[in-house]
Amino acid sequence: MSTVDVQEVAIDTPQERLRLAKDAARVTARLTSGEKTDALHAIADALLEHSDEIIAANADDLARGERDGIGAGLLDRLRLDARRVAGLADAVREIAALPDPVGQVVRGHRMPNGVDLQQVRVPFGVVGAIYEARPNVTVDIAAIALRSGNAVVLRGGSAALSSNTVLVGVMRDALEARGISPDAIQSVDAFGRDGAKALMHGRGLVDVLVPRGSAGLIETVVTESTVPVIETGAGNVHVVLDSSAPDDWARDIVVNAKAQRPSVCNAAETVLVLRDAAERLVAPVAAALQGQGVTVHGDEAVARLASDVVPATEDDWATEYLSLDIAMRVVDTLDDAIDHIRRYSTGHTEAIVTTDVRNADRFLAEVDSAVVLVNASTRFTDGGEFGFGAEVGISTQKLHARGPMGLPELTSTKWLGRGAGQVRV
Amino acid sequence: MSTVDVQEVAIDTPQERLRLAKDAARVTARLTSGEKTDALHAIADALLEHSDEIIAANADDLARGERDGIGAGLLDRLRLDARRVAGLADAVREIAALPDPVGQVVRGHRMPNGVDLQQVRVPFGVVGAIYEARPNVTVDIAAIALRSGNAVVLRGGSAALSSNTVLVGVMRDALEARGISPDAIQSVDAFGRDGAKALMHGRGLVDVLVPRGSAGLIETVVTESTVPVIETGAGNVHVVLDSSAPDDWARDIVVNAKAQRPSVCNAAETVLVLRDAAERLVAPVAAALQGQGVTVHGDEAVARLASDVVPATEDDWATEYLSLDIAMRVVDTLDDAIDHIRRYSTGHTEAIVTTDVRNADRFLAEVDSAVVLVNASTRFTDGGEFGFGAEVGISTQKLHARGPMGLPELTSTKWLGRGAGQVRV
C-alpha cells in the first residue's frame, strides 16, 4: 500500500522511472526460469492480441515520418504490419526458448580452510538501451533483458514514439497480468533528450547501457555516459586475398561477404589483394562483384586490372558503406595488409583467404578484431550463426564481451561463500 | 638507437606516450609465456641492483612530503627502504610464477557448416592505471600487465614522482636489455593532471583503465573517463548477526572482519544485529571489539545494551571508516537488514552469521554485492585468499569482472574461425 502512495505522490521524471526499474529488478532477478518463460509467452500473446492497436499507432509514426521526409529506408525499418507484428511475437517466443543463464555456476572450489566458494551468474539488474527508430528493437531488447532476469529501460528513436508507447504498454500489461511488476519494462521516450541523458548519467541506477544504431549514436553514448557501456556494431570489415588464395574461395567469399546482405555490420567493406595474386584475382573478383550490382572503388593498381572501377580515395578505406559498394586495394605484403587493417578497421571482423598455414596463423594472431576468420565469409559473425540463439548485438569493445553476444553476456556474476565460522589468520 | 631518435624528434606529449604503448602492445601480445617470465625476473633483478638509486629518489619524495605535511600514514605508504625494495622484487617474481592466461581456449565448437570456432584469451592491449602515492603499485601493476601480455601506462600520485620515475626507468631498461620494447611500460606522471586526462580520454589508445585509491579518485576516473573503466575498491562492508547466530561465530567473525586489518577495503564497517538476538549478542560482541581497541558507534538500542558506545548518526551508516571504528545497529527483521545493506552498501562484501538455512539462502540470493558470505569473515574477499595469486584489485562493478580479480580479468578474448571456403546461405 505504501508503495502505491509513494507512486501517486512522486513526480514522473526519467530518474524516477530508473528508480522504479531498479526496484523491479529485485523481482525479476528472483523469477524462476519457468516464470520468465511464461511471462515471455504472455507478452507474445499480448502482442498478437493488440496487433491492430500497434499497427494503428505505427501508422501515426509513418505519417509523421513521411511528413518529416525521413527517407524510404528509415520508413521501411519503422513500418509494422500484421506479418511483422507476428514476427515480433515469434522472436519473443524464440527468446523464451533460450536457456536461462541465471544461476549457472561458472566456477567454484573449496578454500583450504573449508569455505565453499561459488561464482554464479546473476542478472545485471537494470539494462538500459538507446537505439533508433526500429520498433522491433523495443520488443527484442525487452524480451532479452527479461529472459536474463534484468529490468530494462528503453529509449528508442523519436520517430517511433507512438509505436513504442503502445508496444511498451502492451508488454507492461502482460507482465502485470502475470503478477510481475510492470516497472521491469520502462520507457523514457516521453522525456526526449532528457530520457537519454538520464540513462547515460544513471550511476547507481543503470548497471549497463547498450547503444544500438549508427556509429554517431554509439559514439555519443560512449563519450557521454558515466555508466558502463557495451559498445556494439560498427563494422569496417576487411577481406584479405593472400598470394595463395584459390580463385573460387576468393571470389565466393568476397561476393558473399559483400553482397549477401550489404546493409549489416558483418558485410565486407574493403578487399585487400596481395600484389603477387593481383593479376590473377582482381579482374574475376571485381567482375563477380559487379555481376551482383556492386560498385568497386579501387586504387590505381585495381583500376589497371579491372574495368568500371571508381577511383578510391583515402575516405573509401575508412568508410563503412553498408551498401552495394566495396573498396579494393592492392598491397605489397601481408604486413601491409595487416597495417592497413590496423589503421582503418573498427575491430569487428576480418577474414583472409589463403592456403598458406603460416600466413593463416599470422593473420589470426596479429589482427586485433573481435572475430578473425580464415577461409570463411565475414557474414558468419552473428549470434545465430555462432549458436547463441538471440541477437543481443555484436560487441566491438574488449571489456566484458567481444564479438557476438548471447544471453550470458547480459549477466554479471557474484561470489557466494559458505563457511562454518572461519576467520582470516 | 632508432627508438631514441624517434623520441627525440617526436614531441613528447602524453598522447604520444599512449601511442608508443599501443605499438609496444603488439610486441607484448605475442611474447611467449617463457619470454614474459624471463622479462619479469630481469625486472626483479634490476630492482634489487638499483635499490640504492630507488631509495635515494624515494628520500626526495619523503622530504618533499614532510615539507608539504602529507601526514604520517601517507608518508609510511610512500616510504621505500632496502627491505621494501626487496619486497617489490619478490612480488614481481610471484607474478612471474602465475599461469599465463593468454592463449587459453575459453570455449569452442564446430559450426554445422564445418567452420571451427574458438574463443581464446588475448591481452587487452594497453592497460592504464591511475593511483595514489604508493610506489609499490607502480611495480605491481606493471608486472601484472606484462604477465598478461599488456602494455601499461601509469599515472601515480605526484607525491611519489621521483620514486616512480626511477622505478619506471629501471623496469624499462630491464625490458630493453632483453630485447623487448621499453615502451611497454610508460609513465605519464611528468605531465601531471594532463597525463591523467590523456588516459581518461584515450579512446582508441587505452583499452581499459583501472583506478586504484580513494573513493574520490575512483569516482573522478569513472565519471570523467570515455575509455572503459574497471571500478575497484570502495568497501562499506556489513556483517549481519541473525537471531540464530552462535555466540562464538558472531564474536569471532565480527572481531576478525573489523580488527584483523582495519585499513583495507574488505574490513567490516557496520554490524547489524537482529532484535531477537540483541540482548544476547550486542554486549559481548561490543566488548570483544572494544578489547581490540575498536570504537563502537551504536544506535540507541546498542547504547542501552553495551557500555562506552558513541552515538551513531546517519553518517555512520554510510562511512567506510578504514580505521578501528565500527557502526552497530539493531534491526527488527532480516528484511530490514537487507534493506539497510541495499541503501548503504558499496556492493563489495557482506556476511551473515546464522544457522538458519532459509535465512542463509535468502541473504545469498537477495544481497547484491560482489561477494556474499555465510558464516565467514569478510576479510576473505581477496585475490590471494580466493587462490588467484596476484592482487589485481577487487572490482565493485558488474561489467567484465566482479569481486577479486586475477590475471584472466586483465585479458579480453577474440574469436578465431577456420574454414575451407564456407559462405553464408
Side-chain angles (χ1 to χ4, degrees):
Chain A
M1 292 300 109
S2 70
T3 313
V4 173
D5 290 343
V6 170
Q7 283 187 332
E8 283 175 359
V9 174
I11 298 160
D12 189 14
T13 64
Q15 286 77 17
E16 182 58 23
R17 293 204 185 176
L18 298 184
R19 240 182 304 275
L20 292 170
K22 190 179 178 179
D23 288 344
R26 291 169 56 184
V27 176
T28 54
R30 272 143 57 202
L31 293 175
T32 65
S33 190
E35 287 166 339
K36 288 183 279 192
T37 305
D38 291 348
L40 287 166
H41 283 292
I43 285 175
D45 293 342
L47 289 170
L48 292 178
E49 207 176 299
H50 295 271
S51 185
D52 292 346
E53 196 184 327
I54 293 164
I55 293 165
N58 185 251
D60 292 345
D61 286 332
L62 289 171
R64 194 154 29 86
E66 269 168 32
R67 239 183 3 253
D68 297 350
I70 64 171
L74 283 178
L75 277 175
D76 180 57
R77 286 200 283 270
L78 177 56
R79 176 167 290 116
L80 292 175
D81 53 24
R83 195 180 54 84
R84 285 190 176 178
V85 172
L88 294 180
D90 286 346
V92 172
R93 292 194 212 280
E94 275 173 34
I95 291 163
L98 291 175
D100 184 351
V102 174
Q104 186 197 339
V105 179
V106 179
R107 50 181 167 162
H109 66 278
R110 181 164 294 172
M111 290 168 60
N113 62 15
V115 173
D116 276 314
L117 276 183
Q118 284 190 321
Q119 186 184 31
V120 298
R121 285 207 183 281
V122 295
F124 270 120
V126 176
V127 174
I130 298 183
Y131 52 100
E132 288 164 347
R134 301 183 65 168
N136 63 312
V137 175
T138 303
V139 175
D140 240 35
I141 298 258
I144 286 167
L146 184 61
R147 174 81 262 183
S148 48
N150 295 290
V152 69
V153 181
L154 303 159
R155 170 66 172 83
S158 55
L161 181 60
S162 302
S163 313
N164 286 341
T165 304
V166 173
L167 288 169
V168 168
V170 167
M171 293 192 288
R172 286 171 58 97
D173 289 348
L175 288 186
E176 192 153 35
R178 296 204 68 82
I180 299 169
S181 167
D183 289 328
I185 301 177
Q186 292 283 346
S187 163
V188 289
D189 284 357
F191 304 99
R193 172 87 187 138
D194 285 349
K197 274 189 116 63
L199 274 172
M200 293 190 282
H201 296 275
R203 295 246 306 141
L205 296 171
V206 177
D207 293 291
V208 64
L209 183 55
V210 183
R212 269 174 75 165
S214 69
L217 177 141
I218 292 167
E219 179 68 22
T220 301
V221 171
V222 168
T223 308
E224 186 169 336
S225 288
T226 58
V227 301
V229 171
I230 299 180
E231 199 174 337
T232 60
N236 189 16
V237 167
H238 298 75
V239 179
V240 175
L241 304 181
D242 186 34
S243 311
S244 66
D247 295 10
D248 53 344
W249 289 3
R251 183 194 59 227
D252 294 352
I253 286 173
V254 169
V255 169
N256 184 262
K258 174 75 259 181
Q260 200 229 6
R261 200 172 166 205
S263 66
V264 292
C265 60
N266 59 19
E269 306 293 7
T270 295
V271 180
L272 301 170
V273 187
L274 271 285
R275 192 164 301 279
D276 282 354
E279 193 103 23
R280 176 170 61 88
L281 292 174
V282 166
V285 170
L289 285 163
Q290 288 161 344
Q292 300 288 317
V294 176
T295 301
V296 176
H297 304 251
D299 69 354
E300 281 177 28
V302 169
R304 265 196 305 277
L305 293 163
S307 39
D308 299 322
V309 171
V310 177
T313 66
E314 175 74 15
D315 276 355
D316 285 285
W317 313 135
T319 300
E320 188 184 1
Y321 297 112
L322 298 173
S323 61
L324 285 172
D325 292 85
I326 201 162
M328 195 181 286
R329 183 179 198 178
V330 173
V331 292
D332 287 333
T333 64
L334 183 57
D335 279 308
D336 292 339
I338 293 172
D339 283 345
H340 179 104
I341 289 168
R342 188 168 290 120
R343 177 144 178 213
Y344 296 106
S345 171
T346 53
H348 187 293
T349 300
E350 332 295 339
I352 189 170
V353 183
T354 184
T355 56
D356 182 324
V357 73
R358 290 161 307 181
N359 291 351
D361 287 346
R362 277 199 56 203
F363 195 79
L364 290 168
E366 295 182 29
V367 172
D368 186 26
S369 296
V371 181
V372 188
L373 299 167
V374 174
N375 299 328
S377 170
T378 59
R379 291 275 297 120
F380 288 121
T381 298
D382 175 274
E385 293 291 321
F386 274 39
F388 299 163
E391 178 62 328
V392 180
I394 295 169
S395 166
T396 51
Q397 72 181 31
K398 295 183 183 175
L399 202 70
H400 184 72
R402 195 175 189 204
M405 292 189 283
L407 285 181
E409 278 69 39
L410 273 196
T411 63
S412 181
T413 56
K414 71 179 177 187
W415 286 94
L416 307 180
R418 292 176 172 90
Q422 284 89 341
V423 298
R424 188 157 165 192
V425 288
Chain B
M1 290 300 110
S2 71
T3 313
V4 173
D5 291 342
V6 169
Q7 282 188 334
E8 281 172 3
V9 175
I11 298 164
D12 190 16
T13 63
Q15 286 76 17
E16 182 57 24
R17 294 205 184 177
L18 298 184
R19 240 182 305 273
L20 291 171
K22 190 179 178 180
D23 288 343
R26 290 169 56 185
V27 177
T28 55
R30 274 143 56 201
L31 294 174
T32 64
S33 190
E35 288 166 339
K36 288 182 278 191
T37 305
D38 291 348
L40 288 165
H41 283 292
I43 285 174
D45 293 342
L47 290 169
L48 292 178
E49 207 176 298
H50 295 271
S51 186
D52 292 347
E53 196 184 329
I54 293 164
I55 293 165
N58 185 250
D60 292 345
D61 286 333
L62 290 170
R64 193 155 29 89
E66 268 170 30
R67 237 177 11 248
D68 297 350
I70 65 171
L74 283 178
L75 277 175
D76 180 58
R77 286 200 283 270
L78 177 56
R79 176 168 289 117
L80 292 175
D81 52 24
R83 197 180 54 80
R84 285 191 177 178
V85 173
L88 295 181
D90 287 345
V92 173
R93 292 194 211 281
E94 276 173 35
I95 291 162
L98 291 175
D100 185 352
V102 174
Q104 187 197 339
V105 179
V106 179
R107 52 181 165 161
H109 66 278
R110 181 164 293 174
M111 290 168 59
N113 62 14
V115 173
D116 275 313
L117 276 182
Q118 284 190 322
Q119 187 184 32
V120 299
R121 284 207 183 282
V122 295
F124 269 121
V126 176
V127 174
I130 297 183
Y131 52 99
E132 286 163 348
R134 301 183 66 169
N136 64 313
V137 176
T138 303
V139 176
D140 240 37
I141 297 257
I144 286 167
L146 184 61
R147 174 81 261 184
S148 48
N150 295 289
V152 69
V153 182
L154 303 160
R155 171 65 172 87
S158 55
L161 180 60
S162 303
S163 313
N164 286 341
T165 303
V166 173
L167 288 168
V168 168
V170 167
M171 292 192 288
R172 285 171 59 97
D173 290 347
L175 288 185
E176 192 154 35
R178 296 205 67 82
I180 299 170
S181 167
D183 290 328
I185 301 178
Q186 293 284 347
S187 163
V188 289
D189 284 357
F191 305 100
R193 172 84 187 138
D194 285 347
K197 273 188 116 64
L199 275 172
M200 293 189 284
H201 296 276
R203 295 247 304 141
L205 296 171
V206 177
D207 293 292
V208 63
L209 184 54
V210 184
R212 269 175 72 167
S214 69
L217 177 140
I218 293 166
E219 179 68 22
T220 300
V221 172
V222 168
T223 308
E224 188 169 334
S225 289
T226 57
V227 300
V229 171
I230 299 180
E231 198 173 339
T232 61
N236 190 15
V237 167
H238 297 76
V239 179
V240 175
L241 304 181
D242 186 36
S243 312
S244 65
D247 294 10
D248 52 346
W249 289 3
R251 183 194 60 227
D252 295 350
I253 287 173
V254 170
V255 169
N256 185 262
K258 174 75 260 181
Q260 200 230 5
R261 199 170 167 207
S263 66
V264 292
C265 61
N266 59 20
E269 306 294 5
T270 295
V271 180
L272 301 170
V273 187
L274 272 284
R275 191 165 301 279
D276 283 354
E279 193 101 26
R280 174 169 63 87
L281 292 174
V282 165
V285 169
L289 284 163
Q290 289 160 343
Q292 299 289 318
V294 176
T295 302
V296 175
H297 305 251
D299 70 353
E300 281 178 28
V302 169
R304 265 197 305 277
L305 294 162
S307 39
D308 299 320
V309 171
V310 176
T313 66
E314 176 75 15
D315 276 353
D316 285 286
W317 313 135
T319 299
E320 188 185 2
Y321 297 113
L322 298 173
S323 62
L324 285 170
D325 292 85
I326 201 163
M328 194 181 286
R329 184 179 197 176
V330 173
V331 291
D332 288 333
T333 63
L334 183 57
D335 279 309
D336 292 337
I338 293 173
D339 283 344
H340 178 105
I341 290 169
R342 188 166 289 118
R343 178 147 178 209
Y344 296 105
S345 170
T346 53
H348 187 293
T349 301
E350 331 295 338
I352 189 170
V353 184
T354 184
T355 57
D356 182 324
V357 73
R358 289 162 306 180
N359 290 351
D361 287 345
R362 275 200 58 202
F363 195 77
L364 290 168
E366 296 182 29
V367 172
D368 186 25
S369 297
V371 182
V372 188
L373 299 166
V374 174
N375 299 327
S377 170
T378 59
R379 291 276 296 121
F380 289 121
T381 298
D382 174 272
E385 293 291 321
F386 273 39
F388 300 162
E391 177 63 327
V392 180
I394 294 168
S395 165
T396 51
Q397 71 182 29
K398 294 183 182 174
L399 202 70
H400 184 74
R402 195 175 191 205
M405 293 189 283
L407 285 182
E409 278 70 38
L410 273 195
T411 63
S412 181
T413 55
K414 71 178 178 187
W415 286 94
L416 307 180
R418 291 176 172 91
Q422 284 88 344
V423 298
R424 188 157 166 193
V425 287

